[in-house]
Amino acid sequence: MDYSSSHPIFKQGELIMKNNIRVERAIKNITQGELAEQVNVSRQTINSIESNRYVPSTILALKIAHVFGKPLEEIFALEDGD
Amino acid sequence: MKTRFLFPYWCRYLGWGLVIAHVPLTIIARHHGMDIEDGPGTQALFTGNHLFFMCTALLMTTGLFLVAFAKEKIEDEQIWQIRLDSLRWAIYLNYLILIIGLVFINDTGHILELNLWVPLLFFIVRFRWIILRLTRSLSREN
């Protein structure tokens, strides 16, 4: 993957991880509960991840990406925190 | 997720049972505690008072311990993080109180007693509160 120098990971400030799980869920037409069941976590956790209150572990992120059949970086991305 | 060193889910109810059982016992002790004669050496072990204190304190501490470290229905990594975070705050608070206590109270017995339940109780309250907030925000969105 090509990172230009304007990519957020090169910036000094705090980074946050955004995701488009909600969109992917809508495409695949599954509920939070169904996704939660497939990756073996609670619905609260999926909800927290979707609203960017919780950053999942790499393992969980990979599991979620696997459910949607997409590479990790199409679902999770770093953004500038400020 | 593998969860070692946690009690099964039902232990939470057993724990609350023990905590609740300790309440009437302590109330009775406060009312009739004076009846128990300690004999001349109050420092002695296994006198009536000591046994009673030991039993009630053990009931309460074991109860709180079981409640605090029983698994959630679904114990996942977010719960695990909340658990650790709450534990950290409980330790902070405990040592803050301990240090203040050591400086301002010249009664190590009561400080010990405080030490027995402050971290566990604070942990439980904080942990449950965060989980309650998560559940609330979940039901608000759906």
Side-chain angles (χ1 to χ4, degrees):
Chain A
M1 184 156 272
D2 184 33
Y3 288 121
S4 68
S5 61
S6 63
H7 192 275
I9 61 167
F10 295 109
K11 292 196 175 151
Q12 292 277 308
E14 206 175 320
L15 293 171
I16 51 169
M17 195 163 97
K18 287 273 172 80
N19 66 79
N20 55 5
I21 294 178
R22 198 158 282 168
V23 179
E24 294 293 338
R25 260 196 322 107
I27 293 171
K28 214 168 178 272
N29 198 19
I30 54 172
T31 62
Q32 284 186 344
E34 284 163 342
L35 177 60
E37 215 172 285
Q38 288 186 50
V39 295
N40 231 340
V41 296
S42 63
R43 261 173 71 205
Q44 282 95 326
T45 301
I46 296 295
N47 189 45
S48 300
I49 296 170
E50 280 187 4
S51 43
N52 296 316
R53 272 179 285 126
Y54 176 69
V55 177
S57 69
T58 317
I59 293 177
L60 180 54
L62 283 166
K63 275 187 186 173
I64 292 170
H66 181 76
V67 168
F68 296 127
K70 291 195 171 170
L72 197 67
E73 282 174 307
E74 275 184 35
I75 295 168
F76 298 95
L78 285 173
E79 270 181 31
D80 230 334
D82 332 314
Chain B
M1 184 177 168
K2 268 190 188 171
T3 47
R4 287 181 299 170
F5 311 119
L6 283 179
F7 301 109
Y9 180 69
W10 55 265
C11 280
R12 184 203 294 189
Y13 299 106
L14 176 68
W16 282 126
L18 291 180
V19 174
I20 291 165
H22 131 275
V23 174
L25 276 176
T26 312
I27 291 171
I28 294 167
R30 289 279 142 87
H31 280 279
H32 301 280
M34 305 305 150
D35 300 345
I36 303 168
E37 270 302 318
D38 249 359
T42 43
Q43 299 289 313
L45 289 177
F46 304 112
T47 59
N49 258 341
H50 175 240
L51 274 178
F52 198 87
F53 171 73
M54 203 169 74
C55 288
T56 49
L58 268 181
L59 264 186
M60 187 201 63
T61 313
T62 317
L64 286 178
F65 196 82
L66 285 174
V67 173
F69 299 114
K71 266 183 210 163
E72 288 299 295
K73 259 192 186 136
I74 301 174
E75 182 84 25
D76 60 18
E77 53 179 61
Q78 191 192 18
I79 300 287
W80 194 250
Q81 198 196 37
I82 297 168
R83 206 180 270 289
L84 289 183
D85 213 39
S86 303
L87 209 52
R88 180 165 56 94
W89 278 108
I91 292 292
Y92 281 173
L93 184 83
N94 183 46
Y95 276 90
L96 188 76
I97 290 177
L98 189 66
I99 289 164
I100 292 171
L102 284 174
V103 174
F104 293 105
I105 307 169
N106 192 13
D107 178 357
T108 43
H110 279 93
I111 293 176
L112 173 74
E113 221 175 308
L114 216 61
N115 228 321
L116 212 57
W117 57 263
V118 164
L120 285 175
L121 198 68
F122 183 79
F123 168 78
I124 292 167
V125 170
R126 204 241 177 213
F127 184 59
R128 295 255 62 100
W129 179 61
I130 300 280
I131 288 183
L132 187 78
R133 259 190 8 189
L134 282 182
T135 317
R136 257 198 218 144
S137 79
L138 186 70
S139 55
R140 212 182 302 129
E141 286 193 25
N142 292 322

